[in-house]
Amino acid sequence: MGAFYLCKYLITQPMHLSGESALDNFTQTEIIFGIAFLVFLYLLWQKKQPDKNGRLPDSAITADRVEKLIINEFSAKITAKTSSPNEKTIQEQLYNFLESKILHVQEHKPIGGVTNKKIDFDIGCGAVGIEIKIGKSAFKNTERNRLVGQITDYNKANYSNDNLLLLIFCDVASFKQRVFHKDLLDTLANHSVRVHFLPIISPYENSNLEI
């Protein structure tokens, strides 16, 4: 409706000097096409706006947007002193966060193939894929080799267009092991994946770490 009233205003608005309509110099066909184009732009803009609950629709989902959303607004936490970071807990926290921000979030989505592997999160019906790992385990040789295989399979599936995020959640000790970070980045250098090392916030550790 906003585009309709804008177009109506432009057609009826008089010019200050001549007193003629602002669109008198255009043909009727040009005016109709102009109005149609404005309506198209408005509908395109509206399609990418959040729903009534503030969640982003599929058409608004990009890897850049999801990446910034997680880095800027999400914090993985452990609350009990005896608790150690585990992938299931972090995944539940991330799902709750993403589900509150994005319309379509699917956990454990099958990617097809004979192995029937599943990616941790599919965002926006195939727009972005997310795999999460815990730093302590991801830096071990066996887990790292398994991770490379997973990323390879995800790239062969639907996540090869710079739309795959790998989130490595680290406690204080593993966050500081930058040699392992570099080794993992080098290992995945030929894969289409965005890798981020993110801190796990604990009230019992100094978690004021620079990302």
Side-chain angles (χ1 to χ4, degrees), residues 79-97:
T79 56
K81 188 172 183 178
T82 55
S83 295
S84 58
N86 65 81
E87 192 170 313
K88 182 179 178 180
T89 300
I90 302 300
Q91 185 164 318
E92 289 175 353
Q93 293 178 16
L94 183 57
Y95 173 79
N96 291 334
F97 170 79

Side-chain angles (χ1 to χ4, degrees), residues 140-163:
K140 296 178 181 178
N141 288 335
T142 53
E143 180 62 24
R144 183 180 58 191
N145 293 337
R146 176 175 175 270
L147 176 58
V148 172
Q150 287 179 295
I151 299 300
T152 300
D153 289 337
Y154 299 155
N155 283 169
K156 290 179 180 178
N158 196 41
Y159 312 101
S160 59
N161 190 27
D162 195 31
N163 62 338

Side-chain angles (χ1 to χ4, degrees), residues 1 7 31 44 52 62 72 108 120 124 129 135 149 176 179 190 199:
M1 292 299 292
C7 295
I31 293 173
L44 187 64
K52 63 181 181 179
T62 64
N72 294 333
H108 309 299
D120 287 335
K176 293 179 179 179
V179 173
N190 294 324

